[in-house]
Amino acid sequence: PRHAVGGRRELAMASTTTAEPRSLLFRCQACAAVLDLSGAPEDAAPSSSFSTATKLDPTGGGGSQTPVDTMDESFMVLPGSSSGGHSGGSAGLPAWAKGGTVMTGGTGRGAGDGLAATNQKQASRPKKNTPESFVVLSNSVSRVARHGTDGGTEDTVAGLNARVAALARIFDLASDETSADHPMCLECAKNLSDEINARAVETERECEIHRRCLEDLVGERGDSMDDTPYASNLQRLETELQEEERAVALETEALQLRLDTLTQKSFHLELESKSLDLDEQNYFHSFNDFKKDLKCHVDQRDAVVTQVEQVGRQLERLNRVNVANDAFHVWFDGPFGTVNGFRLGRLPNVNVEWDEINAAWGMACLLLSTMAGSVGLRFKNGYTLKPMGSFSKVKDSKGVLYELYGPVNILSSHRYDKAMTGFLQCLKEFETFAQGVDRQNDDRGGTGQHGSSSNYFKLPYQIDGDKIDGRKIGFPFSRYERWTAALKIMLVDLKSCLAWVANQS
């Protein structure tokens, strides 16, 4: 009902600004009809102390009013202290004759505000011996200005506003105490009264049905207890209840003992569970440490395996590499044989410097000496190589050193020829040693090809004394072509020896 307060006050306040400032208009909270609550005791003579409730057309213009019904305003009546008649001078409503204000309204609860406001005034008045009295407020405490005072119209409007506020408060209290919203017209009040009466009749009918059922139940129980005295039945029931109480007490004690046992057992199980949790935690810590160590070990093993594989591949690659072949690159350059790019020989149209020829002879001498040392060959045919770079020499069995370098003239040519012949003999001895090694390998391998030299090492160009493949290796002074060709095929035999050494390793 709180939403209706604004509507009630707005309508009532609007009525105070119209052409009829003494009209109090409210709206019915049930049917929304406009109610005219004007005609209070202060605005009418004592003989017209009853106000007229007028229902207005909410949609009509001009403020036309249609009388609906005459409604008495009930006064707050207090019971008197004696049975005498009315006091003198109060044949009608004595409060009006004396200029007082009587609290009126649709309900008795709203008069409480007036009573609270006049407690002090009424306490000073003498009590009258009347069967019933009205609550009278003097003009000094009345919140409603009387018509015709010095205030004029402004006082009248202020008084109406105060009355509107008081009535709105009374209606709010009535709405809070009841299930219906106030104010309401006579028709809505009659409908609500009929509905409440119907509910009351229905409630009384249900109460009567319940009363009859209760009487029937009491009668049946009385019939069943007629044969046995009530005291003996009560004593028997008390004995049974005591026995049942003792049984329940015993059962409670047994259950308490069982509860204590289960509590202790639960406590021990909880301790055991904590111990198992601790063991599990330690186990998982150990397991995690082991997994970490295992992972580290696996990583280290994989690293070592990878390193071994890399080293193995590198070793295999190095095993396939012939160091002597890389260090002494024997090749050819047109008609010349070369050792590490140094040409060996001379042509009439190509005058090779002696420094280049000497360097080539030094490389060849060093290569043959290195191969003999790698296979364990010690020359025994009377010649020994002395690799000394561009100034290499060959030593015979008598200890005479022959120079394997130039320039060569007619006087020193025989020494140069002896040195070249000694080199060919050392090369021939290397061939003989290689054939012996191949023969020993065949004997250990069991091939059964003894005496057959087809599978043994053999120089491509045979050496016979100071000739190779029928070409004399002596130094000529005019025919350089034969000497250059002999030196070239000598380097071919030297490269064959190098390939054999590489296969042996």
Side-chain angles (χ1 to χ4, degrees):
R2 294 302 179 197
H3 66 277
V5 177
R8 288 194 291 262
R9 291 182 178 178
E10 181 179 0
L11 182 58
M13 293 295 290
S15 66
T16 62
T17 59
T18 57
E20 298 179 359
R22 304 179 66 82
S23 298
L24 294 178
L25 303 181
F26 282 84
R27 190 180 297 276
C28 178
Q29 301 300 308
C31 63
V34 178
L35 303 178
D36 185 3
L37 301 183
S38 302
E42 297 174 353
D43 304 320
S47 61
S48 60
S49 60
F50 303 103
S51 65
T52 302
T54 306
K55 181 182 292 186
L56 303 180
D57 186 5
T59 60
S64 62
Q65 300 181 358
T66 303
V68 176
D69 197 359
T70 301
M71 178 179 62
D72 293 337
E73 286 189 348
S74 61
F75 298 93
M76 177 72 65
V77 180
L78 302 179
S81 60
S82 63
S83 60
H86 294 286
S87 61
S90 59
L93 296 177
W96 300 337
K98 297 179 180 180
T101 301
V102 181
M103 290 301 296
T104 63
T107 62
R109 290 181 56 88
D113 296 337
L115 291 174
T118 58
N119 285 335
Q120 186 176 0
K121 294 290 184 178
Q122 291 177 355
S124 61
R125 294 181 181 180
K127 296 182 180 179
K128 298 179 181 181
N129 294 327
T130 58
E132 54 185 4
S133 62
F134 299 93
V135 177
V136 180
L137 300 179
S138 62
N139 294 334
S140 61
V141 298
S142 176
R143 293 180 296 175
V144 181
R146 295 184 57 83
H147 183 69
T149 60
D150 297 337
T153 305
E154 294 181 358
D155 294 339
T156 303
V157 173
L160 288 177
N161 290 336
R163 293 179 64 188
V164 166
L167 290 176
R169 177 61 178 169
I170 292 171
F171 293 149
D172 290 342
L173 294 175
S175 299
D176 291 339
E177 293 295 331
T178 61
S179 61
D181 294 338
H182 292 76
M184 62 176 61
C185 62
L186 292 178
E187 293 179 0
C188 296
K190 186 177 182 304
N191 295 334
L192 180 60
S193 177
D194 295 340
E195 182 180 355
I196 292 175
N197 292 333
R199 291 181 183 178
V201 172
E202 183 67 23
T203 303
E204 290 178 357
R205 186 182 298 109
E206 291 179 359
C207 290
E208 182 66 22
I209 294 173
H210 291 165
R211 185 182 62 76
R212 291 177 182 178
C213 292
L214 182 59
E215 291 178 356
D216 295 339
L217 290 175
V218 172
E220 293 178 359
R221 184 176 180 181
D223 294 340
S224 62
M225 295 178 63
D226 288 341
D227 298 334
T228 304
Y230 178 75
S232 60
N233 291 334
L234 183 60
Q235 185 176 5
R236 181 176 57 81
L237 290 176
E238 184 177 1
T239 304
E240 292 178 356
L241 289 175
Q242 291 178 355
E243 293 179 355
E244 184 177 358
E245 183 179 1
R246 285 194 296 271
V248 170
L250 293 176
E251 185 178 0
T252 302
E253 292 179 358
L255 292 176
Q256 185 65 34
L257 292 176
R258 185 177 179 184
L259 177 61
D260 296 338
T261 304
L262 292 177
T263 302
Q264 294 180 358
K265 186 176 181 180
S266 175
F267 177 73
H268 292 302
L269 290 176
E270 186 177 357
L271 293 178
E272 185 177 359
S273 176
K274 290 181 179 179
S275 177
L276 291 176
D277 292 339
L278 183 60
D279 294 339
E280 182 182 7
Q281 185 178 4
N282 295 331
Y283 166 75
F284 279 112
H285 282 314
S286 301
F287 178 75
N288 292 333
D289 294 338
F290 172 75
K291 291 289 289 183
K292 183 181 69 175
D293 296 339
L294 179 62
K295 187 177 183 302
C296 294
H297 173 72
V298 171
D299 293 340
Q300 293 177 359
R301 184 203 63 184
D302 294 342
V304 171
V305 170
T306 303
Q307 187 176 3
V308 169
E309 291 178 354
Q310 292 178 356
V311 171
R313 287 193 296 268
Q314 186 176 2
L315 178 61
E316 184 180 358
R317 185 173 62 255
L318 292 176
N319 288 331
R320 291 195 300 268
V321 173
N322 189 357
V323 178
N325 191 23
D326 292 340
F328 304 96
H329 182 61
V330 179
W331 202 240
F332 64 92
D333 184 10
F336 299 99
T338 61
V339 181
N340 288 339
F342 298 111
R343 290 174 293 182
L344 189 60
R346 178 179 287 184
L347 293 177
N349 56 350
V350 180
N351 187 15
V352 180
E353 297 293 335
W354 277 106
D355 292 338
E356 185 176 355
I357 295 173
N358 295 337
W361 270 118
M363 290 291 178
C365 183
L366 180 60
L367 175 59
L368 183 56
S369 177
T370 302
M371 289 190 298
S374 64
V375 297
L377 172 62
R378 297 182 65 182
F379 298 108
K380 300 178 181 179
N381 57 0
Y383 292 97
T384 304
L385 299 176
K386 299 293 183 180
M388 300 172 65
S390 297
F391 302 95
S392 299
K393 297 178 181 180
V394 178
K395 182 179 179 181
D396 62 1
S397 58
K398 296 179 181 180
V400 180
L401 294 175
Y402 299 100
E403 295 81 4
L404 195 58
Y405 56 88
V408 179
N409 53 28
I410 297 175
L411 295 177
S412 61
S413 61
H414 67 284
R415 297 180 65 85
Y416 191 66
D417 294 340
K418 275 284 189 179
M420 290 188 293
T421 301
F423 185 86
L424 288 179
Q425 292 303 317
C426 291
L427 191 59
K428 177 67 176 178
E429 188 175 356
F430 189 89
E431 178 189 14
T432 304
F433 178 80
Q435 290 177 357
V437 173
D438 290 341
R439 188 179 296 109
Q440 291 177 2
N441 292 335
D442 283 343
D443 292 341
R444 286 195 297 266
T447 58
Q449 297 179 355
H450 302 290
S452 177
S453 60
S454 60
N455 295 328
Y456 301 152
F457 175 72
K458 186 178 181 181
L459 293 175
Y461 301 99
Q462 293 298 315
I463 298 173
D464 184 12
D466 58 349
K467 295 181 180 181
I468 179 171
D469 196 23
R471 297 180 178 88
K472 191 174 181 180
I473 201 172
F475 179 75
F477 287 95
S478 59
R479 300 175 64 180
Y480 294 111
E481 292 85 355
R482 289 178 62 86
W483 180 59
T484 302
L487 293 176
K488 184 177 181 180
I489 61 178
M490 182 199 69
L491 291 179
V492 172
D493 288 346
L494 187 62
K495 189 172 183 63
S496 299
C497 295
L498 180 60
W500 180 84
V501 172
N503 291 331
Q504 294 299 315
S505 61

